[in-house]
Amino acid sequence: MDLLTTTASLQSLCQRLAREPFITIDTEFLRESTFWPQLCLVQVAGANEHALIDPLAEGIDLAPLFELLANEAVLKVFHAGRQDVEIFHYLTGTIPAPIFDTQIAAMVCGYGDQVGYDQIVRQTIGASIDKSHRFTDWSRRPLNDAQLAYAAADVTHLRNVYLYLRNILDTKGRGAWVEEELAVLTDPSTYAVDPEDAWERLKLRARKPIEFAALKAAAKWREETAQARDVPRRRILKDDALYELAQQRPQKLDALTRLRAVPRGFEKQPHAKGLIEAMQHVAALPQDKLPKLPRQKRNPESAPAVADLLKVALKLVAEREGVAPRIIANADDLEAIAIHGDCDVKAMKGWRRELFGEMALAIRSGEKALGVRGKAAVLVPMDADD
């Protein structure tokens, strides 16, 4: 199988695929040594053809592909497509539309949480995937026939997987459930990388407002530096160094040499000056300008036990309905309901509330107990004899 390496061949392919009701699509990329993903291969398939596109080919213009991805008359089918969509959003500033994700559909159809592609292919259409080339360096050229065949399988089987799951969704009337989950994938904020929010990736170990301010400043500086240099965050500084910076708040370059978590010689790097300037800015902040420490949650003593009970109820409901538990509620949802009751979580909205939320509230309030009859989870009034 050959790679498409010219704009003309890509244009011809995309013109044909634009007449299809849906296409399947996947990408191969590298990110181990960069901040932004490096697109190395794009696989696409229509009803009667499939192709591999080489985005690394000299002179190729991916504009025809991007136009196809924006064509709202053609459904784009991914499996676990968040990173694929992120790549296209990074390259174009827009999100492919409309899209469908077979991993999400598999959860709604009862195939488990975050089922892998090889598993869903085997469980739905009975085919097997050779995973021996999954760790290929997709940036190297030439790719051999076995590697190309492996890459093509990611979209050729996906056609039948999509049709199989689509039939189940239509039969059970659960298409809207998938659409609701897809809203996360189609929201641009999902892929926003704002340095101001970089501290949220870290564990909050700060005990004082000044330490919190320094942690936020250090995280912002690292994020901006990693983006500008296109290297992973850890290549700039590891998390432990940020925690130490928040505590020590060095004001001069030579002070960095006394921090255990900061690599030797870091103070000589050109970007180290920016870090010191960030720490100096924090040190100059008046007390009333320091950020407030986020309040630590004080949970009721009964909350862990209630959450455990809700987890059992969720499992029984999911088994009864033939869906993955996580599509109804996650651990954070259960904890929030256990603590606050009727609160702003997905499990308390729409079809999830009808399926599970009302049951969870009745259990939490003590109005009813959880019972099991056959394979069904039922609510039993607390004063009932059975």
Side-chain angles (χ1 to χ4, degrees):
M1 179 182 297
D2 294 329
L3 284 172
L4 297 186
T5 59
T6 67
T7 305
S9 60
L10 176 59
Q11 178 74 53
S12 178
L13 169 72
C14 292
Q15 288 175 345
R16 296 193 300 274
L17 293 179
R19 297 191 287 269
E20 300 277 0
F22 75 89
I23 61 170
T24 55
I25 184 165
D26 189 37
T27 66
E28 306 295 347
F29 60 92
L30 295 180
R31 203 171 194 169
E32 288 78 5
S33 60
T34 60
F35 184 92
W36 307 107
Q38 179 188 7
L39 183 61
C40 299
L41 191 68
V42 181
Q43 306 100 287
V44 292
N48 300 305
E49 68 174 317
H50 62 272
L52 305 180
I53 303 162
D54 186 359
L56 302 181
E58 184 177 356
I60 193 169
D61 184 351
L62 296 181
L65 173 64
F66 298 151
E67 183 178 344
L68 176 64
L69 293 176
N71 185 342
E72 296 193 2
V74 181
L75 179 68
K76 274 67 70 173
V77 178
F78 298 87
H79 182 83
R82 180 163 178 159
Q83 292 189 85
D84 305 305
V85 174
E86 179 187 11
I87 290 173
F88 293 126
H89 180 262
Y90 166 64
L91 293 174
T92 68
T94 60
I95 293 173
I99 66 173
F100 185 93
D101 192 307
T102 53
Q103 186 178 73
I104 293 174
M107 294 171 69
V108 171
C109 294
Y111 287 94
D113 289 338
Q114 296 184 318
V115 61
Y117 180 64
D118 56 332
Q119 294 174 294
I120 197 62
V121 167
R122 183 174 62 254
Q123 293 178 36
T124 57
I125 62 175
S128 60
I129 302 291
D130 178 6
K131 304 299 288 184
S132 59
H133 294 285
R134 65 186 307 177
F135 297 114
T136 291
D137 180 353
W138 296 103
S139 67
R140 298 187 64 180
R141 296 293 184 269
L143 297 171
N144 62 42
D145 289 343
Q147 291 170 327
L148 296 176
Y150 164 81
D154 283 344
V155 290
T156 53
H157 293 301
L158 191 55
R159 294 177 295 201
N160 290 329
V161 171
Y162 163 70
L163 293 172
Y164 187 98
L165 295 174
R166 180 83 264 176
N167 181 61
I168 295 176
L169 294 172
D170 291 344
T171 299
K172 293 187 175 183
R174 292 180 177 175
W177 296 16
V178 175
E179 290 297 323
E180 191 171 319
E181 288 300 302
L182 287 172
V184 175
L185 288 181
T186 57
D187 184 352
S189 67
T190 300
Y191 311 101
V193 185
D194 188 349
E196 292 285 353
D197 301 327
W199 68 272
E200 296 178 359
R201 303 174 60 89
L202 304 167
K203 295 179 181 178
L204 186 57
R205 298 179 180 177
R207 297 181 179 179
K208 304 175 183 178
I210 186 69
E211 293 180 0
F212 184 33
L215 181 65
K216 294 179 69 173
K220 177 184 177 182
W221 167 86
R222 183 179 69 169
E223 193 78 6
E224 291 174 339
T225 305
Q227 290 185 24
R229 299 184 63 197
D230 194 19
V231 297
R233 298 175 184 89
R234 66 181 183 278
R235 294 279 185 90
I236 303 300
L237 280 179
K238 294 183 178 179
D239 291 353
D240 286 347
L242 300 190
Y243 300 136
E244 191 173 8
L245 284 163
Q247 291 181 338
Q248 302 298 326
R249 301 180 295 283
Q251 299 297 294
K252 295 182 179 181
L253 283 171
D254 60 2
L256 293 172
T257 64
R258 297 189 287 274
L259 301 186
R260 295 177 59 185
V262 174
R264 183 176 300 176
F266 177 82
E267 73 282 358
K268 299 177 182 178
Q269 299 293 323
H271 50 269
K273 182 180 178 182
L275 174 59
I276 293 300
E277 290 173 350
M279 294 297 99
Q280 291 171 342
H281 175 75
V282 169
L285 288 173
Q287 191 69 26
D288 61 349
K289 296 297 183 181
L290 293 174
K292 293 182 179 180
L293 285 169
R295 290 186 177 182
Q296 298 295 318
K297 293 185 298 184
R298 298 186 64 182
N299 300 339
E301 292 184 1
S302 62
V306 174
D308 287 343
L309 187 58
L310 295 181
K311 185 176 181 180
V312 174
L314 175 62
K315 186 174 186 297
L316 292 170
V317 169
E319 290 179 350
R320 181 191 71 197
E321 298 295 329
V323 300
R326 190 179 176 195
I327 204 74
I328 302 174
N330 58 30
D332 289 341
D333 290 344
L334 299 183
E335 181 182 2
I337 295 169
I339 296 169
H340 304 292
D342 195 348
C343 52
D344 186 20
V345 295
K346 288 199 301 184
M348 298 306 299
K349 299 175 182 178
W351 62 268
R352 292 178 177 85
R353 186 182 185 108
E354 181 179 345
L355 209 64
F356 172 73
E358 293 295 344
M359 172 187 286
L361 292 177
I363 293 171
R364 179 186 181 276
S365 67
E367 296 176 6
K368 296 186 178 181
L370 179 65
V372 182
R373 289 177 180 158
K375 292 185 177 181
V378 296
L379 290 179
V380 182
M382 290 297 288
D383 59 353
D385 295 330
D386 56 359

